[in-house]
Amino acid sequence: MKTLHFLVIGKNQEILETLKRIIENNEGWTAEIQSDENFCYEYIRDNTVDIVLLSSGLEEDFEKDIKIFCTDLHKDVKVIEHYGGGSGLLKNEVYSLFPNLQG
């Protein structure tokens, strides 16, 4: 199974911790959570990140900028805007980007 590395960005610490738990309940999926928008750019540049998961509380300008940053890196980093809906929705969002993961 392919390992997926997530960077989950948001402003609500409880939601970030819940998302980390949900993500890491899947075999081979790991998550780093971050609420400091400025640190995210450096983290994405310097680490393996497959998916940037945008959670609640972020400014629209930051969301646009981080999407452009990920595209410009040419590291094939995917961005998911996830604002709730449970673990089933999250899995569907991931599988739509990585259809080969579905068993």
Side-chain angles (χ1 to χ4, degrees), residues 35-79:
S35 59
D36 181 348
E37 295 165 349
N38 294 320
F39 176 76
C40 295
Y41 297 97
E42 179 182 333
Y43 185 88
I44 293 166
R45 188 182 63 244
D46 296 341
N47 295 275
T48 300
V49 176
D50 298 299
I51 297 174
V52 171
L53 189 72
L54 303 177
S55 185
S56 61
L58 301 171
E59 296 291 327
E60 187 176 333
D61 286 343
F62 169 76
E63 290 186 8
K64 288 178 186 175
D65 289 345
I66 200 74
K67 289 175 192 175
I68 292 168
F69 178 80
C70 289
T71 301
D72 289 349
L73 270 182
H74 303 293
K75 288 174 63 173
D76 200 26
V77 177
K78 312 283 191 214
V79 178

Side-chain angles (χ1 to χ4, degrees), residues 6 19 22-23 53 82 86-95:
F6 291 72
L19 286 169
I22 289 169
I23 290 166
L53 189 72
H82 182 79
S87 60
L89 176 61
L90 178 58
K91 281 185 180 180
N92 285 335
E93 291 168 333
V94 171
Y95 290 149

